[in-house]
Amino acid sequence: MIKKLAQDLYAEKPDRPLYHYTSLDSIRGIIDTGSLRATEIRYFSDAAEMKHAGNQLSGAISFLEGFSKSNPRLLDQLRKWLSHRLISGGMLYVGCFTANGNLLSQWRSYCPQAKGVSLGFEAAKLCTSTTRQSWQVGKCIYDTRKQGEIAETILGEIERLAEKRGENTDPSKRHPSNSFHDIFEEIEDDLLLVAALLKHPAFHEEEEWRVVSPVITNYVTTPIEYREGPSMLVPFMNFRLPEKPDGRVDIEHVILGPTPNQDISMASLSNYLSKSGASPRRGVAYCQIPYRPW
């Protein structure tokens, strides 16, 4: 059931171009490599990413605890397991896109002042590229009512599995405090995939879509790389963007963010893309947002 839930959430496909906000410096790396750095989800600048999903599930657990038919050992173990595995379990690498390529809050949040660019990609081509790499495209969910329904569905399935299979009471295999962990581990990958799409409603205007890797458990042989973050090494994987027949990145549209040097910045950006063989099909446009230092 949880696998079916994850499949259904990722079945919806975008029907318009998706944009990725970045900097003038980073765009050169994207164009040169044809790749986007997909960050492990727990290292996003918003540290509450996975915690939000955990809070939704914890709320559903607290609700169930009020019923006499609930299994207190199951719910207690699940709450403790979630607090650990959603924070430090299997790894998910995520690339962020949005259906809105020209939003002031996005320029301010994800781009350096006066140096922002949003790169637009045709939806079908982006989905094809994602499938080719065994990744998935998913639309973020901001509606708290729907998030609550998802949490209830997940807990209902966990209860069903617990009732069907019972506890692992063999002390040589499981400590009594972990007697239901066989069930949790069985649904972990699908649970993480679902959790990756649950975002706080405060970010709803972003209209975010994500390219999401399979769950990674082997960090030694998987092609994970690291970049310097504000206070730590940040793990990432390279996600291949749509390609033209000649192997160069296939961009649909580019928007230049607010800048005090609109004309010459537009000219140099357009010239760079043309020289790199990455001229966008719909051209380069200015955001038309008056520049104000932030």
Side-chain angles (χ1 to χ4, degrees), residues 36-73:
L36 181 71
R37 289 181 172 182
T39 301
E40 210 286 318
I41 193 168
R42 299 170 183 87
Y43 291 80
F44 279 0
S45 56
D46 177 9
E49 278 285 345
M50 295 298 272
K51 289 181 180 178
H52 178 70
N55 290 339
Q56 292 296 315
L57 289 166
S58 293
I61 290 172
S62 296
F63 179 76
L64 281 178
E65 287 174 331
F67 292 87
S68 59
K69 292 184 179 181
S70 66
N71 186 329
R73 289 194 307 280

Side-chain angles (χ1 to χ4, degrees), residues 247-261:
R248 298 185 182 185
V249 63
D250 191 348
I251 303 175
E252 182 70 14
H253 191 210
V254 171
I255 302 174
L256 177 66
T259 176
N261 304 302

Side-chain angles (χ1 to χ4, degrees), residues 9-24:
L9 291 179
Y10 284 92
E12 182 178 0
K13 302 303 179 188
D15 58 4
R16 51 177 165 158
L18 295 182
Y19 292 81
H20 175 74
Y21 286 79
T22 188
S23 67
L24 289 173

Side-chain angles (χ1 to χ4, degrees), residues 134-148:
S134 299
W135 289 38
Q136 299 186 80
V137 178
K139 185 179 183 180
C140 288
I141 299 167
Y142 302 94
D143 185 275
T144 53
R145 179 178 298 179
K146 186 172 183 180
Q147 291 177 0

Side-chain angles (χ1 to χ4, degrees), residues 261-279:
N261 304 302
Q262 175 182 340
D263 293 337
I264 58 175
S265 186
M266 282 282 291
S268 61
L269 178 59
S270 298
N271 292 344
Y272 165 72
L273 292 170
S274 178
K275 180 179 176 63
S276 302
S279 293

Side-chain angles (χ1 to χ4, degrees), residues 42-162:
R42 299 170 183 87
Y43 291 80
F44 279 0
S45 56
D46 177 9
E49 278 285 345
M50 295 298 272
K51 289 181 180 178
H52 178 70
N55 290 339
Q56 292 296 315
L57 289 166
S58 293
I61 290 172
S62 296
F63 179 76
L64 281 178
E65 287 174 331
F67 292 87
S68 59
K69 292 184 179 181
S70 66
N71 186 329
R73 289 194 307 280
L74 171 68
L75 297 181
D76 182 60
Q77 288 185 34
L78 178 58
R79 176 181 280 110
K80 293 175 180 177
W81 181 84
L82 286 171
S83 68
H84 171 63
R85 297 305 291 177
L86 284 180
I87 302 303
S88 58
M91 297 174 287
L92 279 182
Y93 290 83
V94 174
C96 300
F97 295 83
T98 173
N100 192 335
N102 186 16
L103 193 62
L104 181 58
S105 61
Q106 296 280 79
W107 294 120
R108 287 177 168 172
S109 297
Y110 301 111
C111 301
Q113 184 172 301
K115 299 178 182 179
V117 182
S118 75
L119 304 177
F121 300 90
E122 184 180 306
K125 293 179 179 178
L126 186 63
C127 290
T128 297
S129 182
T130 304
T131 301
R132 187 179 296 124
Q133 297 168 81
S134 299
W135 289 38
Q136 299 186 80
V137 178
K139 185 179 183 180
C140 288
I141 299 167
Y142 302 94
D143 185 275
T144 53
R145 179 178 298 179
K146 186 172 183 180
Q147 291 177 0
E149 292 172 353
I150 289 171
E152 290 175 9
T153 297
I154 291 171
L155 290 188
E157 177 62 9
I158 291 173
E159 285 190 310
R160 186 190 70 80
L161 288 172

